[in-house]
Amino acid sequence: MPDTNVTAEAETYDFVLVGAGSASCLIVSRLSQQLPHHKILVLEAGEHIQNDPNVQTPGLSFSLQSNPTYDWNYITLPEQGLNGRRVKHPRGKLVGGTSAINSHSVVFPNFEWHDRIAEELLTDSGRAEWNSQSMRDCYKRWQVVTSGPEVKDDVGSLDHVKTSYPRALDVLQSRWTKAFEELGHATSTTGFMESSTGAVTITNAIDSTKGERSHAGTAFMEPALKRGNVTLKTGVKVDKISFHESLTAGGKLTAKGVYYTHQGGYHLINARDIILCAGVFESPAILERSGIGSRKVLEAANVPVLYELPGVGENLQDHLNCSLSCETEDDIPTCDEELRNPEMQKASLREYGQSRTGRLAEGPAHSFAFTSLQMLETPSETQELIEMVKHLVEKESNPSLKTQYAIIRKTIESPSEATATTFMIRSQRHRDRDSMPKGTPAFVDGNFVTVVAMLAHPFSRGSSHISSDPSQQPEIKFNYLSHPLDVEVMARHMRLIERLFQKPTFAAISKPNGKRLPRSHPYPISSLEDAKKILPINSATNYHPCGTCAMMREDLGGVVDERLRVYGTKNVKVCDASVLPIVPRGNILTAVYAFAEKVVEIICKEAGPGSRTG
């Protein structure tokens, strides 16, 4: 939109945060306490949806996705590696962002991931700030566990997300940990720590005292709004950042505010510092509309180039997963019957409404495992993969990719680190409906247990950029399975699941000659070629996009430095999933919260002695 007919608002804010998602809500909470005399404005394109039972009820999370009231409904361009499928990527359309519509699971990165990012991707000045020891408190501060052995009575004055363990483990959840114990891989803790392989029972972002979802909007934004120095504007679409014409003495752009649309009007609001928290698709789009990004992309969109930064919108990654299901013995309880039976679904709603208990009071997945391929591969199979990885990493000519791939290579070579985060679902799962005849039922008869392998650190990279019409949603492409090592590692994890099914614990709960899923391959995997054929038709996203404004050195294609400040600017930061340079193992929300905690530390140091800790 041209800079004409602009309403210039007189007030100047100390901080303007663009977006009220997971990271933003935490940042606002902490800054409202630690910098009480600073004025903070949050601009959110969605709405502040409060006391909505669809959001509050844990078991209704999947009903929020694809619902335009709660979800921005992003979708990729056709993905060649998935037989041309377009993949939906739900993103939360409300205060709290995607933490308000996700499926609750709380999974932490490992020390090695942080240490390698700090050592290999940052400058000398950032390494100490971002290594695992410096990040430990950041991973602790954002949550408090409300059930299980880690319950804390004294949680201090900071706001927290509330997490909890399942109220009781059912048969399958108990057998999950036993299955890995019989392999000699038992783990007992779930937090941010050094890697070890084995099964864990994780928490979910659910307040067990209420049986309700706990998300960034309720945990962080709502308390912050009561402190008097925070203003929240919803229904606001930020167009771009406004910069002063003159550069700093160091040649940097200085932001003076942001342009946004609200109720048909075009506005400019002034700010001393701007923090983009608009998410993995929108944060790079705002930078591009502001004139920061790849010259090729900006010129195609007719945007003047203010600072050429080719990494903006690049480096897009996601956790792709694939699963196998086997039919269980009739006396093993699963969730399948309720999926098929509307009357049982109504009964669950009644139980939840009366007592906040039952299936709807829990998240779908508490049973996870950190799995290395060495767990069930022969030494010769592992060595074959290691040699393949070595050859392809050394062959890579792009400096950024070569550095990132070298980090992933270390994970693959380590028997104690996860090449996939594996989890169990107590029901059937199949993603191959597009490859089945029209009219194929959504569910099959029988009760199933499903094991899902989520590729921990993919090699494939995609992009998210504004189109020739910058007012439209970004053009998103992940290029799933475009790198041959992703195909190789994922196929090997399918074989690992098959071998797990043959071990005593799973063999004891599986129906002899029972059904197998996916439906397009209804029999055990007998070879890697079998597994590779399944990947394009049965793989799905785990909804963990990241990397488009990566925290890396600028010469490696980074967009923000170790202070999360956009290169070429003096006072613009980014903090959301887009800054994660390499996707961590497992669900990424814990890392997003921890990075938000770290940027608050950075901001308060920059603010000087007038700030205070919570």
mmCIF file of all heavy atoms in Angstrom, residues 388-412:
data_model
loop_
_atom_site.group_PDB
_atom_site.id
_atom_site.type_symbol
_atom_site.label_atom_id
_atom_site.label_comp_id
_atom_site.label_asym_id
_atom_site.label_seq_id
_atom_site.Cartn_x
_atom_site.Cartn_y
_atom_site.Cartn_z
ATOM 1 N N MET A 388 27.435 -42.985 3.473
ATOM 2 C CA MET A 388 26.590 -42.240 2.549
ATOM 3 C C MET A 388 26.481 -40.780 2.973
ATOM 4 O O MET A 388 26.596 -39.860 2.154
ATOM 5 C CB MET A 388 25.199 -42.888 2.495
ATOM 6 C CG MET A 388 24.291 -42.376 1.394
ATOM 7 S SD MET A 388 22.626 -43.117 1.492
ATOM 8 C CE MET A 388 23.033 -44.860 1.608
ATOM 9 N N VAL A 389 26.276 -40.546 4.286
ATOM 10 C CA VAL A 389 26.177 -39.186 4.811
ATOM 11 C C VAL A 389 27.488 -38.443 4.592
ATOM 12 O O VAL A 389 27.502 -37.288 4.143
ATOM 13 C CB VAL A 389 25.799 -39.207 6.310
ATOM 14 C CG1 VAL A 389 25.897 -37.818 6.912
ATOM 15 C CG2 VAL A 389 24.397 -39.773 6.497
ATOM 16 N N LYS A 390 28.583 -39.086 4.909
ATOM 17 C CA LYS A 390 29.902 -38.469 4.753
ATOM 18 C C LYS A 390 30.117 -38.009 3.312
ATOM 19 O O LYS A 390 30.547 -36.877 3.055
ATOM 20 C CB LYS A 390 30.986 -39.473 5.148
ATOM 21 C CG LYS A 390 32.418 -38.978 5.005
ATOM 22 C CD LYS A 390 33.397 -40.039 5.525
ATOM 23 C CE LYS A 390 34.839 -39.545 5.451
ATOM 24 N NZ LYS A 390 35.334 -39.451 4.058
ATOM 25 N N HIS A 391 29.796 -38.864 2.375
ATOM 26 C CA HIS A 391 29.997 -38.543 0.955
ATOM 27 C C HIS A 391 29.152 -37.348 0.525
ATOM 28 O O HIS A 391 29.660 -36.413 -0.116
ATOM 29 C CB HIS A 391 29.645 -39.768 0.108
ATOM 30 C CG HIS A 391 29.596 -39.485 -1.365
ATOM 31 N ND1 HIS A 391 30.724 -39.230 -2.121
ATOM 32 C CD2 HIS A 391 28.530 -39.395 -2.223
ATOM 33 C CE1 HIS A 391 30.376 -39.000 -3.375
ATOM 34 N NE2 HIS A 391 29.056 -39.099 -3.465
ATOM 35 N N LEU A 392 27.863 -37.339 0.903
ATOM 36 C CA LEU A 392 26.970 -36.271 0.440
ATOM 37 C C LEU A 392 27.238 -34.951 1.158
ATOM 38 O O LEU A 392 27.082 -33.880 0.561
ATOM 39 C CB LEU A 392 25.513 -36.705 0.609
ATOM 40 C CG LEU A 392 25.049 -37.808 -0.357
ATOM 41 C CD1 LEU A 392 23.631 -38.258 -0.035
ATOM 42 C CD2 LEU A 392 25.129 -37.333 -1.803
ATOM 43 N N VAL A 393 27.634 -34.993 2.424
ATOM 44 C CA VAL A 393 27.949 -33.751 3.138
ATOM 45 C C VAL A 393 29.216 -33.130 2.569
ATOM 46 O O VAL A 393 29.282 -31.905 2.345
ATOM 47 C CB VAL A 393 28.086 -34.011 4.647
ATOM 48 C CG1 VAL A 393 28.659 -32.785 5.358
ATOM 49 C CG2 VAL A 393 26.727 -34.375 5.250
ATOM 50 N N GLU A 394 30.224 -33.938 2.325
ATOM 51 C CA GLU A 394 31.471 -33.403 1.764
ATOM 52 C C GLU A 394 31.287 -32.894 0.349
ATOM 53 O O GLU A 394 32.001 -31.983 -0.092
ATOM 54 C CB GLU A 394 32.554 -34.476 1.813
ATOM 55 C CG GLU A 394 33.002 -34.798 3.236
ATOM 56 C CD GLU A 394 34.042 -35.904 3.293
ATOM 57 O OE1 GLU A 394 34.275 -36.555 2.235
ATOM 58 O OE2 GLU A 394 34.612 -36.133 4.381
ATOM 59 N N LYS A 395 30.320 -33.433 -0.340
ATOM 60 C CA LYS A 395 30.049 -33.030 -1.725
ATOM 61 C C LYS A 395 29.307 -31.695 -1.797
ATOM 62 O O LYS A 395 29.355 -30.996 -2.815
ATOM 63 C CB LYS A 395 29.212 -34.136 -2.396
ATOM 64 C CG LYS A 395 28.898 -33.936 -3.855
ATOM 65 C CD LYS A 395 28.071 -35.110 -4.367
ATOM 66 C CE LYS A 395 27.603 -34.886 -5.804
ATOM 67 N NZ LYS A 395 26.739 -36.004 -6.265
ATOM 68 N N GLU A 396 28.613 -31.290 -0.725
ATOM 69 C CA GLU A 396 27.810 -30.061 -0.718
ATOM 70 C C GLU A 396 28.707 -28.839 -0.895
ATOM 71 O O GLU A 396 29.712 -28.681 -0.211
ATOM 72 C CB GLU A 396 27.029 -29.954 0.594
ATOM 73 C CG GLU A 396 26.189 -28.697 0.740
ATOM 74 C CD GLU A 396 25.167 -28.536 -0.357
ATOM 75 O OE1 GLU A 396 24.365 -29.466 -0.559
ATOM 76 O OE2 GLU A 396 25.191 -27.478 -1.021
ATOM 77 N N SER A 397 28.314 -27.950 -1.821
ATOM 78 C CA SER A 397 29.136 -26.774 -2.121
ATOM 79 C C SER A 397 28.624 -25.488 -1.468
ATOM 80 O O SER A 397 29.385 -24.538 -1.303
ATOM 81 C CB SER A 397 29.226 -26.564 -3.639
ATOM 82 O OG SER A 397 27.924 -26.376 -4.195
ATOM 83 N N ASN A 398 27.341 -25.436 -1.103
ATOM 84 C CA ASN A 398 26.790 -24.242 -0.459
ATOM 85 C C ASN A 398 27.342 -24.129 0.960
ATOM 86 O O ASN A 398 27.156 -25.045 1.778
ATOM 87 C CB ASN A 398 25.258 -24.336 -0.428
ATOM 88 C CG ASN A 398 24.596 -23.134 0.205
ATOM 89 O OD1 ASN A 398 24.758 -22.889 1.394
ATOM 90 N ND2 ASN A 398 23.847 -22.387 -0.583
ATOM 91 N N PRO A 399 28.037 -23.029 1.305
ATOM 92 C CA PRO A 399 28.681 -22.938 2.632
ATOM 93 C C PRO A 399 27.710 -23.065 3.797
ATOM 94 O O PRO A 399 28.027 -23.703 4.809
ATOM 95 C CB PRO A 399 29.341 -21.557 2.608
ATOM 96 C CG PRO A 399 29.488 -21.212 1.166
ATOM 97 C CD PRO A 399 28.329 -21.850 0.467
ATOM 98 N N SER A 400 26.526 -22.458 3.676
ATOM 99 C CA SER A 400 25.553 -22.542 4.763
ATOM 100 C C SER A 400 25.070 -23.967 4.947
ATOM 101 O O SER A 400 25.049 -24.500 6.068
ATOM 102 C CB SER A 400 24.360 -21.622 4.491
ATOM 103 O OG SER A 400 23.393 -21.735 5.518
ATOM 104 N N LEU A 401 24.679 -24.605 3.855
ATOM 105 C CA LEU A 401 24.193 -25.976 3.950
ATOM 106 C C LEU A 401 25.294 -26.918 4.406
ATOM 107 O O LEU A 401 25.054 -27.827 5.203
ATOM 108 C CB LEU A 401 23.624 -26.422 2.605
ATOM 109 C CG LEU A 401 22.337 -25.724 2.153
ATOM 110 C CD1 LEU A 401 21.905 -26.236 0.790
ATOM 111 C CD2 LEU A 401 21.219 -25.929 3.175
ATOM 112 N N LYS A 402 26.496 -26.712 3.904
ATOM 113 C CA LYS A 402 27.600 -27.588 4.290
ATOM 114 C C LYS A 402 27.831 -27.531 5.800
ATOM 115 O O LYS A 402 28.051 -28.555 6.446
ATOM 116 C CB LYS A 402 28.872 -27.190 3.541
ATOM 117 C CG LYS A 402 30.008 -28.210 3.651
ATOM 118 C CD LYS A 402 31.199 -27.802 2.805
ATOM 119 C CE LYS A 402 32.277 -28.877 2.786
ATOM 120 N NZ LYS A 402 31.860 -30.057 2.003
ATOM 121 N N THR A 403 27.747 -26.315 6.372
ATOM 122 C CA THR A 403 27.938 -26.161 7.816
ATOM 123 C C THR A 403 26.790 -26.800 8.587
ATOM 124 O O THR A 403 27.004 -27.511 9.586
ATOM 125 C CB THR A 403 28.040 -24.667 8.176
ATOM 126 O OG1 THR A 403 29.078 -24.065 7.399
ATOM 127 C CG2 THR A 403 28.359 -24.493 9.651
ATOM 128 N N GLN A 404 25.553 -26.564 8.143
ATOM 129 C CA GLN A 404 24.407 -27.176 8.813
ATOM 130 C C GLN A 404 24.439 -28.696 8.686
ATOM 131 O O GLN A 404 24.157 -29.414 9.659
ATOM 132 C CB GLN A 404 23.110 -26.630 8.221
ATOM 133 C CG GLN A 404 22.858 -25.159 8.496
ATOM 134 C CD GLN A 404 21.519 -24.712 7.941
ATOM 135 O OE1 GLN A 404 20.479 -25.278 8.270
ATOM 136 N NE2 GLN A 404 21.525 -23.701 7.095
ATOM 137 N N TYR A 405 24.756 -29.179 7.504
ATOM 138 C CA TYR A 405 24.780 -30.631 7.285
ATOM 139 C C TYR A 405 25.852 -31.310 8.137
ATOM 140 O O TYR A 405 25.671 -32.454 8.592
ATOM 141 C CB TYR A 405 25.018 -30.935 5.814
ATOM 142 C CG TYR A 405 23.864 -30.605 4.892
ATOM 143 C CD1 TYR A 405 24.017 -30.685 3.504
ATOM 144 C CD2 TYR A 405 22.627 -30.197 5.386
ATOM 145 C CE1 TYR A 405 22.977 -30.381 2.643
ATOM 146 C CE2 TYR A 405 21.576 -29.895 4.538
ATOM 147 C CZ TYR A 405 21.760 -29.983 3.154
ATOM 148 O OH TYR A 405 20.731 -29.678 2.301
ATOM 149 N N ALA A 406 26.967 -30.618 8.347
ATOM 150 C CA ALA A 406 28.016 -31.183 9.202
ATOM 151 C C ALA A 406 27.513 -31.364 10.631
ATOM 152 O O ALA A 406 27.890 -32.326 11.323
ATOM 153 C CB ALA A 406 29.251 -30.299 9.173
ATOM 154 N N ILE A 407 26.644 -30.442 11.082
ATOM 155 C CA ILE A 407 26.045 -30.565 12.416
ATOM 156 C C ILE A 407 25.110 -31.773 12.458
ATOM 157 O O ILE A 407 25.145 -32.575 13.406
ATOM 158 C CB ILE A 407 25.295 -29.268 12.774
ATOM 159 C CG1 ILE A 407 26.289 -28.120 12.979
ATOM 160 C CG2 ILE A 407 24.421 -29.459 14.011
ATOM 161 C CD1 ILE A 407 25.642 -26.755 13.153
ATOM 162 N N ILE A 408 24.284 -31.927 11.447
ATOM 163 C CA ILE A 408 23.354 -33.060 11.409
ATOM 164 C C ILE A 408 24.116 -34.381 11.305
ATOM 165 O O ILE A 408 23.730 -35.400 11.890
ATOM 166 C CB ILE A 408 22.369 -32.900 10.235
ATOM 167 C CG1 ILE A 408 21.572 -31.600 10.374
ATOM 168 C CG2 ILE A 408 21.412 -34.089 10.171
ATOM 169 C CD1 ILE A 408 20.710 -31.269 9.170
ATOM 170 N N ARG A 409 25.217 -34.353 10.562
ATOM 171 C CA ARG A 409 26.045 -35.564 10.408
ATOM 172 C C ARG A 409 26.514 -36.081 11.767
ATOM 173 O O ARG A 409 26.499 -37.291 12.029
ATOM 174 C CB ARG A 409 27.244 -35.247 9.504
ATOM 175 C CG ARG A 409 28.253 -36.365 9.375
ATOM 176 C CD ARG A 409 29.439 -35.916 8.531
ATOM 177 N NE ARG A 409 30.513 -36.890 8.558
ATOM 178 C CZ ARG A 409 31.689 -36.721 7.954
ATOM 179 N NH1 ARG A 409 31.932 -35.596 7.277
ATOM 180 N NH2 ARG A 409 32.617 -37.650 8.025
ATOM 181 N N LYS A 410 26.904 -35.170 12.663
ATOM 182 C CA LYS A 410 27.353 -35.583 13.997
ATOM 183 C C LYS A 410 26.233 -36.287 14.755
ATOM 184 O O LYS A 410 26.474 -37.240 15.506
ATOM 185 C CB LYS A 410 27.857 -34.374 14.776
ATOM 186 C CG LYS A 410 29.155 -33.785 14.225
ATOM 187 C CD LYS A 410 29.544 -32.502 14.969
ATOM 188 C CE LYS A 410 30.807 -31.889 14.359
ATOM 189 N NZ LYS A 410 31.170 -30.598 15.006
ATOM 190 N N THR A 411 25.013 -35.817 14.580
ATOM 191 C CA THR A 411 23.876 -36.470 15.228
ATOM 192 C C THR A 411 23.697 -37.889 14.710
ATOM 193 O O THR A 411 23.470 -38.825 15.487
ATOM 194 C CB THR A 411 22.588 -35.661 14.978
ATOM 195 O OG1 THR A 411 22.739 -34.356 15.520
ATOM 196 C CG2 THR A 411 21.386 -36.329 15.607
ATOM 197 N N ILE A 412 23.787 -38.072 13.397
ATOM 198 C CA ILE A 412 23.588 -39.395 12.803
ATOM 199 C C ILE A 412 24.668 -40.370 13.255
ATOM 200 O O ILE A 412 24.408 -41.557 13.496
ATOM 201 C CB ILE A 412 23.558 -39.267 11.265
ATOM 202 C CG1 ILE A 412 22.285 -38.515 10.831
ATOM 203 C CG2 ILE A 412 23.628 -40.643 10.592
ATOM 204 C CD1 ILE A 412 22.221 -38.187 9.361
#
